[in-house]
Amino acid sequence: GRCSMPLPSGYQPELDATPLLTDEAINYYQSELGRIDIYVDVAKLSHYLVNPRQGHLQAMYHIYAFLKRHDRCTMVFDDKILTFSSADFPEFDWMDFYGDVEEAIPPNAPEP
């Protein structure tokens, strides 16, 4: 079929319940996924580098099919250096939002 978008329509990798990949297929998935750069969809699949499923691998193949279909497209990177001012980040008193709370520290946490 034709691939009109990088991932299959409606695909939700976080809900993938297909069988886990073999060690060899995991290595393939990790190495191939690192070669493409379609930000949002690749980022979605990158969450599953440690424990990918067969559906994740199929989604990666779908991305490749999309790239093959769009072989005349060009990626353009903006090399403009952004500058920020401290005025861009106003001070905020988080006490109004969180109140007087303390972070829960696990008993087995190392000393800071």
Side-chain angles (χ1 to χ4, degrees):
R2 293 194 175 259
C3 297
S4 60
M5 59 184 123
L7 285 178
S9 178
Y11 180 67
Q12 296 176 300
E14 68 277 9
L15 301 179
D16 195 319
T18 59
L20 292 171
L21 297 174
T22 64
D23 288 345
E24 183 178 345
I26 287 173
N27 286 336
Y28 176 74
Y29 178 83
Q30 292 169 342
S31 67
E32 291 301 306
L33 195 61
R35 293 183 186 181
I36 57 180
D37 191 20
I38 300 177
Y39 180 72
V40 174
D41 295 321
V42 172
K44 284 181 187 178
L45 292 181
S46 292
H47 287 277
Y48 306 97
L49 283 174
V50 173
N51 214 11
R53 298 184 173 274
Q54 290 176 2
H56 299 134
L57 183 61
Q58 292 302 314
M60 184 187 71
Y61 290 148
H62 191 92
I63 289 173
Y64 280 125
F66 172 81
L67 291 173
K68 185 176 181 180
R69 182 169 180 226
H70 295 86
D71 64 341
R72 293 183 182 209
C73 295
T74 303
M75 287 186 177
V76 178
F77 297 92
D78 185 356
D79 63 352
K80 182 172 91 176
I81 297 174
L82 300 176
T83 57
F84 297 97
S85 160
S86 61
D88 295 330
F89 304 96
E91 289 292 321
F92 186 78
D93 182 5
W94 289 101
M95 186 67 90
D96 294 340
F97 184 80
Y98 287 106
D100 190 21
V101 297
E102 287 189 28
E103 181 179 0
I105 300 176
N108 61 346
E111 289 294 321

